[in-house]
């Protein structure tokens, strides 16, 4: 379960190698739940308990001006494309190749964003107990590098990508040279605590080419 950050939004990030899975789900800038990891053949990630809490003003949620003005909220699908564009723009500034859009990763990311919004939680494990690796591989069945960043509360693409950039672990995931493809899911629930839910899944195979 995501911990609250005063004035900010929850972030979670993981890096995984399928087959020999070592998953990191921590950030030096946010409350940590320790290290998520799984041995090959196991369906669930284990959780080591640690708590680190520091502030990160740069990752504070930003509000879309259209929401303040009472205009219609942007379409989640448009926001998903904007997130991938922002991630690629960031990668290019760091001498990384841009990521291609992956239909499989897109489906996995959207399924998880919808799940978080529908059930009002922020985590990598799905509401039915499915791990991120299991979930992603349902849609993207490649034995390759996998990664996932999730967030909630941010109301525009620039804000959520800036939050990931400002968090060392999330930044590391966005810039990994092993990743060649990505998919982004965005969901909105007016009845939830954070309203906006974001998932960015990354992988080493380009299934959309």
């Amino acid at each position: 379960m995501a911990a609250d950050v005063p004035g900010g939004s929850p972030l979670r990030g993981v890096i995984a190698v399928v087959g020999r899975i070592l998953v990191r789900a921590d950030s030096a800038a946010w409350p940590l739940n320790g290290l998520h990891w799984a041995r090959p053949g196991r369906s669930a990630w284990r959780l080591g308990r640690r708590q680190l809490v520091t502030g990160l003003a740069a990752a504070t949620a930003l509000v879309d001006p259209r929401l303040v003005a009472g205009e219609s909220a942007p379409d989640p699908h448009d926001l998903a494309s904007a997130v991938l564009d922002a991630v690629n723009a960031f990668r290019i500034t760091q001498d990384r190749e841009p990521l291609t859009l992956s239909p499989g990763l897109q489906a996995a990311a959207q399924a998880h964003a919808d799940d978080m919004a529908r059930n009002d939680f922020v985590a990598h494990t799905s509401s039915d107990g499915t791990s991120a690796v299991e979930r992603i591989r349902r849609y993207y069945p490649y034995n390759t590098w996998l990664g996932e960043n999730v967030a909630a509360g941010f109301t525009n693409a620039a804000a959520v990508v800036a939050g990931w950039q400002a968090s060392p672990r999330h930044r590391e995931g966005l810039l990994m040279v092993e990743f060649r493809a990505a998919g982004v899911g965005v969901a909105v629930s007016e009845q939830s605590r954070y309203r906006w839910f974001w998932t960015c899944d990354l992988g080493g195979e380009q299934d959309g080419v």
Side-chain angles (χ1 to χ4, degrees):
M1 185 170 180
D4 289 333
V5 179
S9 297
L11 295 174
R12 294 287 185 272
V14 301
I15 301 169
V17 185
V18 177
R20 182 187 176 196
I21 305 170
L22 175 62
V23 184
R24 285 177 292 186
D26 54 13
S27 161
W30 295 100
L32 305 187
N33 289 326
L35 196 67
H36 294 257
W37 61 277
R39 295 192 182 99
R42 291 196 177 182
S43 60
W45 296 354
R46 297 184 61 182
L47 180 64
R49 302 296 299 179
R50 269 198 321 149
Q51 294 294 328
L52 288 178
V53 181
T54 60
L56 182 62
T60 299
L62 305 177
V63 177
D64 192 302
R66 285 171 289 187
L67 301 180
V68 177
E71 300 178 17
S72 298
D75 185 276
H77 297 291
D78 293 338
L79 289 173
S81 297
V83 168
L84 184 57
D85 289 344
V87 168
N88 279 334
F90 175 51
R91 283 177 64 92
I92 290 170
T93 66
Q94 304 298 310
D95 297 321
R96 304 295 196 274
E97 291 293 323
L99 305 168
T100 62
L101 176 63
S102 160
L105 292 173
Q106 186 86 6
Q110 189 59 56
H112 192 53
D114 289 340
D115 184 26
M116 291 193 297
R118 184 170 52 251
N119 294 289
D120 196 14
F121 73 100
V122 186
H124 292 292
T125 302
S126 301
S127 61
D128 65 359
T130 303
S131 73
V133 171
E134 291 176 295
R135 167 174 40 82
I136 294 171
R137 292 188 73 181
R138 289 175 180 170
Y139 302 90
Y140 182 79
Y142 300 100
N143 186 28
T144 185
W145 284 86
L146 295 178
E148 179 173 89
N149 282 354
V150 303
F154 297 90
T155 61
N156 60 68
V160 71
V161 175
W164 286 333
Q165 290 178 28
S167 167
R169 295 300 186 190
H170 297 86
R171 177 188 178 95
E172 179 184 1
L174 294 180
L175 294 178
M176 282 182 60
V177 296
E178 290 84 359
F179 291 143
R180 303 177 63 205
V184 178
V186 185
V188 180
S189 171
E190 298 292 344
Q191 290 73 43
S192 66
R193 178 169 44 159
Y194 297 112
R195 189 184 179 202
W196 293 81
F197 298 83
W198 308 77
T199 302
C200 179
D201 286 338
L202 306 105
E205 293 288 337
Q206 295 176 312
D207 63 330
V209 177

